Amino acid sequence: MRMVDLIQKKKNGQVLLQQEIDYIVRGYTNGDIPDYQISALLMAIYFKGMNKKEIADLTMAYVNSGDKVDLSGIAGIKVDKHSTGGVGDKVSLIVLPLVACANIPVAKMSGRGLGHTGGTIDKLEAISGFNIELSREQFIANVNQYKMAIVGQSANLTPADKKIYALRDVTGTVDSIPLIASSVMSKKIASGADAIVLDVKVGSGAFVKTIYEARELADTMVGIGNSLNRRTIAVITDMSQPLGYEIGNANEVKEAIAVLKGNGASDITHVSLTIAAYMTVLGGAFLDFETAYKELKAIIESGQAIDKFKQLVEIQGGNPQVIDNPTLLPQAHNHYRIKAGKSGFVNAIAAEKIGISAMLLGAGRKTKEDKIDYSAGITLIKKVGDKVKAGDTLCVLNTNLADCREAEIVAHSAYTIRDVEPEQIIYIYDVIR
Ligand code: URA
């Protein structure tokens, strides 16, 4: 087999066979095929697409490139969730204890943030002492005993996806539906869950910008999951503005605590309850979505959900006092207010720009090696639909940097203020089963 022939084949819109996909993924992972040939192939896939069989074959080639997690030592239906990535997305922090309260085991592996999006593992590490490196035995034991545990993704989980994702990032081929679908699903399949709820983000801050593309991505991923015997549901949720009011690691833990105490903003609360409800239905705790949603809401109101989060923090070595006193989370020294230049209504908050601004403040990494500042972040004061007067504070930047001019400019440019009131934002657009 010659790589150049396979590039030509895809360039001409033909279908790649399973053995050809295996050859490509194996060859690239072990260093036999160079970056420039995979780059050309990725661009051909970007323009010509892949059929369902090719996407499933690519997914399995990624899965087979590394370790597969065996969760058979955990009793019950193991349910996982995955978000395609957004800004202010602290849903995993909320659903993990919430679903565990319904007695459904969640054995969660999460990643770190890169670029403008955050990562659940970084957020939890904002809690002093929180340990995301449990042994396999401890991980399984915690899920059996407490119904929940979370660890960082093992270095050897889908290494082919890791290598190809890094190349996609620098070759303009991230936003391809077959490539996103196989990348996301390979990690979920390799992580060993029996059932998966996908949070497909759509809007300015997401990889897919239109509902049409989001449906296609959701359909593709649900198809892969079900064809590999994983019960899969995709929920299409809004990312046309950041989710909730807090962006940044400690900030997002603080907001997750508020949601679990029943004091969260309506968007983050509704999205979290919706994802958690589908997880518990797939796990067999409730018969239908409506019952699950109502019961989970009651679990929050009763105080069980926040107690469960406190238990998670405690068993993984973190300081549980942050739950009662979130001011114990890292705090930035400097606070800069971004003010409205004119009066009107907030019509849009470009989520990606807010994410970039937070990264510039120290909350995220430009490169994998960068250290993050857990206390850095942005608190939104105004959201889409809010009325503002010139001079009102739109958001507050929290940082330890003395000079954050660039972050200020980017955050200011994220807001669009117009005279007219915008249409109301829908939080959940669709559910694909
Ligand atoms: N998240 C992933 O894991 N992979 C992608 O390609 C996009 C989002």
Side-chain angles (χ1 to χ4, degrees):
M1 232 180 275
R2 289 192 327 151
M3 188 59 203
V4 64
D5 298 329
L6 303 179
I7 297 169
Q8 298 272 19
K9 199 172 171 187
K10 188 40 76 183
K11 187 182 79 180
N12 295 330
Q14 289 170 269
V15 171
L16 295 173
L17 304 173
Q18 183 185 349
Q19 58 270 34
E20 293 170 335
I21 290 174
D22 285 344
Y23 165 84
I24 293 164
V25 171
R26 207 177 319 110
Y28 187 54
T29 314
N30 65 24
D32 291 344
I33 301 174
D35 283 354
Y36 54 81
Q37 285 191 306
I38 298 295
S39 303
L41 179 77
L42 290 171
M43 195 53 85
I45 292 172
Y46 183 92
F47 283 110
K48 297 294 179 178
M50 285 180 129
N51 70 19
K52 285 197 168 93
K53 167 87 172 70
E54 287 175 294
I55 300 172
D57 289 342
L58 182 58
T59 305
M60 283 316 293
Y62 285 163
V63 172
N64 293 330
S65 71
D67 297 341
K68 278 167 252 173
V69 182
D70 177 7
L71 298 180
S72 59
I74 299 171
I77 301 173
K78 280 76 70 183
V79 187
D80 200 356
K81 60 89 58 178
H82 187 90
S83 154
T84 54
V87 176
D89 182 359
K90 66 280 292 171
V91 172
S92 288
L93 300 180
I94 299 161
V95 302
L96 180 59
L98 193 50
V99 172
C101 280
N103 251 342
I104 300 300
V106 193
K108 188 102 194 79
M109 289 192 161
S110 288
R112 295 192 180 276
L114 183 62
H116 76 282
T117 60
T120 301
I121 288 299
D122 294 325
K123 292 171 198 181
L124 284 168
E125 282 184 339
I127 303 171
S128 80
F130 199 102
N131 175 22
I132 53 88
E133 283 175 21
L134 303 178
S135 68
R136 199 187 153 273
E137 291 70 29
Q138 192 65 59
F139 181 60
I140 304 274
N142 283 7
V143 183
N144 274 325
Q145 187 172 353
Y146 305 105
K147 301 290 171 204
M148 60 185 174
I150 183 161
V151 288
Q153 224 160 269
S154 100
N156 201 36
L157 196 84
T158 62
D161 169 59
K162 234 171 248 148
K163 199 166 172 193
I164 290 183
Y165 191 89
L167 194 60
R168 285 167 58 204
D169 210 18
V170 291
T171 55
T173 51
V174 168
D175 54 342
S176 145
I177 286 173
L179 296 177
I180 298 175
S182 48
S183 166
V184 168
M185 290 309 290
S186 65
K187 289 188 277 270
K188 294 297 103 182
I189 304 293
S191 302
D194 304 308
I196 303 157
V197 177
L198 300 162
D199 182 357
V200 178
K201 301 282 184 203
V202 60
S204 66
F207 290 117
V208 290
K209 312 288 182 207
T210 66
I211 290 290
Y212 174 81
E213 288 171 297
R215 281 212 181 92
E216 194 184 334
L217 177 59
D219 265 338
T220 307
M221 293 195 290
V222 169
I224 298 172
N226 290 334
S227 73
L228 296 170
N229 292 324
R230 301 322 201 265
R231 292 182 64 198
T232 308
I233 289 180
V235 184
I236 300 177
T237 67
D238 182 67
M239 192 37 69
S240 65
Q241 65 173 340
L243 191 56
Y245 282 80
E246 300 286 356
I247 298 96
N249 299 288
N251 280 15
E252 293 192 36
V253 171
K254 193 173 79 182
E255 190 165 33
I257 291 171
V259 173
L260 289 166
K261 285 181 177 171
N263 306 323
S266 57
D267 60 349
I268 177 67
T269 302
H270 182 49
V271 170
S272 302
L273 275 169
T274 302
I275 301 290
Y278 282 113
M279 289 172 78
T280 54
V281 170
L282 285 183
F286 304 108
L287 280 181
D288 57 72
F289 170 78
E290 287 72 24
T291 311
Y293 191 100
K294 212 170 84 210
E295 293 291 330
L296 293 172
K297 200 159 174 264
I299 284 174
I300 291 182
E301 284 157 9
S302 71
Q304 287 174 73
I306 191 65
D307 287 350
K308 198 73 182 162
F309 188 53
K310 194 176 200 174
Q311 185 180 53
L312 175 74
V313 171
E314 219 158 14
I315 57 181
Q316 296 211 200
N319 176 8
Q321 290 173 15
V322 300
I323 308 297
D324 300 319
N325 184 5
T327 61
L328 293 173
L329 288 162
Q331 307 270 346
H333 297 300
N334 305 324
H335 307 279
Y336 299 92
R337 291 178 174 274
I338 303 294
K339 306 261 174 93
K342 61 181 219 173
S343 302
F345 293 92
V346 177
N347 271 243
I349 308 173
E352 190 171 356
K353 286 189 180 174
I354 294 290
I356 291 170
S357 177
M359 179 189 73
L360 293 170
L361 295 169
R365 300 180 183 84
K366 274 181 235 160
T367 71
K368 268 198 310 220
E369 290 69 35
D370 283 352
K371 272 209 157 333
I372 53 177
D373 175 354
Y374 296 116
S375 70
I378 299 180
T379 302
L380 304 181
I381 306 296
K382 300 288 183 188
K383 290 202 61 173
V384 171
D386 286 347
K387 198 172 179 183
V388 295
K389 287 202 298 295
D392 280 355
T393 301
L394 298 173
C395 62
V396 180
L397 313 190
N398 312 306
T399 185
N400 290 309
L401 300 176
D403 175 12
C404 64
R405 193 74 202 113
E406 196 185 346
E408 283 183 75
I409 293 167
V410 177
H412 197 270
S413 72
Y415 274 83
T416 304
I417 297 171
R418 295 211 177 94
D419 297 335
V420 288
E421 209 170 336
E423 271 179 36
Q424 210 174 349
I425 288 193
I426 296 169
Y427 303 145
I428 311 281
Y429 290 101
D430 207 352
V431 179
I432 311 282
R433 292 149 204 266

